[in-house]
Amino acid sequence: MSRFLKEKYNILEAYTPGEQPRDGEYIKLNTNESPFSPAPEVAQILKKSDIERLRLYCDPCSTELKASLASLYNLESENIFLSNGSDDILNFAMMAFSDKGAIFPDITYGFYPVFAELHGVEYEEIPLKADFTVDENDYISKDKLIFIANPNAPTGMELPLESIEKIIASNPDSVVVIDEAYVDFGGTSALPLISKYENLLVVRTYSKSRCMAGARLGYAFASKAIIEDLEKIKFSTNPYNINSLTAKLGVATVNSNDYYEAKCKEIISVREYTSEKLREMGFTVLSSKANFIFAKSDIIGGEELYLKLKERKILIRHFAKDRIKDFNRITIGTKEQMDIFLENIGEILKER
Ligand SMILES: *Cc1c(COP(=O)(O)O)cnc(C)c1O
């Protein structure tokens, strides 16, 4: 750290992403990426891309990508915001709508408090119930910027749409951000509520269900007025935030929607299979609507299991946070990967 850094950044604790080992010999079940390749049409578009065009700036409005998402989701382009990964959208939302402070659960996506700290926003972390569900009553008429990941991370648990709607309806003068990074794995989207509530912002990503974490593409749905606000922040930060290659791949992804729906179904079925097998081995597994499960063993601690699996070249995620330190978050890979994972768990438990 230099002596030139502003005081407020001096004390900032940055977000710690999951490990991304460069040697590639791990079974990676730690950052909720898809185990599947992008659709064949996406690969085709990349191969056919005219590299010469990279000379030029990209379309700062990503007109074509917005139009294709608008037609897939029956919206207008003016209801859609695009960004370099959905983290950027969450960041912009924290910048834009936080005058009255922010609230979110104590156990949720670790980036919300980081963005709050980054922008000096007062925030409160509201404890999940003992069963790790969100209590809707904690968010009624709070009149603060609200962030709810639904399904939540790292629990994978879903808050029913009726509760989400009550929260949105009871906070008409504040923005409610519903982070739907995992909604395609069996969750219920708040998207239909966009036309009814001007304070709702639904955030999505290509990183999980669209198998494209490395391309960095996030999107959001909201009333036209909220989208205009986000565009204002974007054009004051980095107008060219979606590179031209990623935008093209984004369109090809929309055109291959059936492929991705099939892959999500596969993940859901492997998730149920893995949950069942872990329960048979004595694990508590929370009921997940995401592409990961949150599980704890009554025989072995969360950190120890994480380390033992790492020795065996399998990466899962452990959070050293009091309430959840006995748990691990395990991304759902292919059936083959999960069988290797389960076999290793069996061996580790036998060793004890
Ligand atoms: C992965 C994730 C994101 C961020 O995804 P990007 O790769 O930045 O699009 C946002 N919210 C939650 C809850 C996530 O798990």
Side-chain angles (χ1 to χ4, degrees):
M1 186 184 315
S2 80
R3 63 199 159 85
F4 310 110
L5 187 65
K6 276 187 170 182
E7 177 71 23
K8 67 173 183 175
Y9 297 133
N10 222 324
I11 55 170
L12 182 69
E13 220 181 291
Y15 177 75
T16 318
E19 298 157 88
Q20 296 291 354
R22 286 295 144 216
D23 49 19
E25 53 183 318
Y26 289 87
I27 294 185
K28 258 191 108 277
L29 308 176
N30 68 329
T31 50
N32 298 344
E33 292 137 331
S34 174
F36 301 115
S37 309
E41 190 189 334
V42 175
Q44 277 306 319
I45 294 288
L46 189 57
K47 275 192 209 131
K48 283 192 307 200
S49 300
D50 183 358
I51 296 303
E52 205 272 332
R53 298 274 308 173
L54 281 180
R55 188 170 66 72
L56 303 172
Y57 277 111
C58 52
D59 169 11
C61 300
S62 305
T63 314
E64 198 191 346
L65 178 54
K66 276 192 182 175
S68 72
L69 282 166
S71 86
L72 179 64
Y73 292 108
N74 259 318
L75 296 164
E76 289 178 58
S77 291
E78 291 78 14
N79 296 112
I80 298 175
F81 182 73
L82 296 168
S83 193
N84 188 264
S86 63
D87 288 336
D88 253 6
I89 305 174
L90 301 168
N91 184 32
F92 288 178
M94 189 66 83
M95 277 169 98
F97 307 119
S98 57
D99 266 355
K100 291 178 276 193
I103 55 174
F104 37 83
D106 63 337
I107 296 165
T108 189
Y109 189 39
F111 236 134
Y112 306 151
V114 176
F115 289 138
E117 297 277 350
L118 178 65
H119 302 298
V121 173
E122 260 185 59
Y123 64 98
E124 191 190 343
E125 296 176 280
I126 300 179
L128 293 180
K129 290 197 275 192
D131 64 359
F132 292 112
T133 55
V134 171
D135 187 344
E136 63 173 52
N137 297 312
D138 292 336
Y139 298 86
I140 299 297
S141 305
K142 285 289 152 134
D143 199 23
K144 288 181 190 303
L145 172 62
I146 295 173
F147 286 84
I148 293 181
N150 200 36
N152 196 10
T155 64
M157 297 183 82
E158 186 182 40
L159 184 65
L161 191 57
E162 306 84 77
S163 303
I164 296 280
E165 180 159 11
K166 276 186 208 157
I167 293 168
I168 300 165
S170 74
N171 290 283
D173 298 320
S174 297
V175 170
V176 177
V177 179
I178 305 298
D179 181 348
E180 296 189 348
Y182 300 104
V183 77
D184 293 328
F185 301 101
T188 306
S189 178
L191 176 58
L193 303 178
I194 292 290
S195 53
K196 206 165 156 192
Y197 299 98
E198 59 173 12
N199 61 324
L200 168 61
L201 175 62
V202 174
V203 181
R204 301 257 188 104
T205 176
Y206 275 64
S207 296
K208 280 75 184 227
S209 59
R210 309 293 170 111
C211 316
M212 224 162 67
R216 310 306 300 131
L217 186 54
Y219 55 114
F221 308 123
S223 60
K224 292 179 184 180
I226 284 204
I227 298 298
E228 263 174 38
D229 297 341
L230 293 172
E231 294 289 359
K232 186 172 194 171
I233 306 255
K234 168 193 137 148
F235 276 91
S236 311
T237 309
N238 177 9
Y240 304 107
N241 65 343
I242 313 288
N243 71 72
S244 43
L245 277 177
T246 292
K248 275 194 196 168
L249 302 183
V251 173
T253 300
V254 171
N255 295 337
S256 306
N257 201 45
D258 293 349
Y259 170 91
Y260 292 98
E261 281 183 358
K263 292 301 178 200
C264 287
K265 274 200 189 130
E266 213 168 318
I267 294 285
I268 291 168
S269 115
V270 177
R271 175 185 75 207
E272 297 310 309
Y273 165 80
T274 308
S275 305
E276 188 57 39
K277 292 282 176 198
L278 284 176
R279 286 186 186 119
E280 282 168 17
M281 288 193 271
F283 278 77
T284 302
V285 185
L286 302 190
S287 133
S288 170
K289 289 280 174 79
N291 68 338
F292 57 84
I293 49 181
F294 203 49
K296 87 171 169 175
S297 160
D298 46 11
I299 300 171
I300 186 167
E303 185 174 20
E304 192 184 351
L305 183 59
Y306 155 74
L307 290 170
K308 287 237 144 87
L309 282 168
K310 190 172 175 182
E311 279 170 22
R312 292 160 175 262
K313 297 289 177 198
I314 298 172
L315 280 182
I316 59 173
R317 189 93 190 253
H318 177 257
F319 299 93
K321 196 170 176 172
D322 238 8
R323 256 186 106 180
I324 52 172
K325 65 179 184 336
D326 296 335
F327 282 81
N328 291 108
R329 193 193 67 193
I330 303 143
T331 304
I332 301 300
T334 61
K335 169 86 167 29
E336 293 69 31
Q337 289 177 321
M338 298 324 282
D339 276 330
I340 296 172
F341 163 79
L342 290 164
E343 199 180 305
N344 277 277
I345 296 268
E347 287 169 14
I348 290 166
L349 293 185
K350 219 180 285 166
E351 276 170 14
R352 305 209 17 132

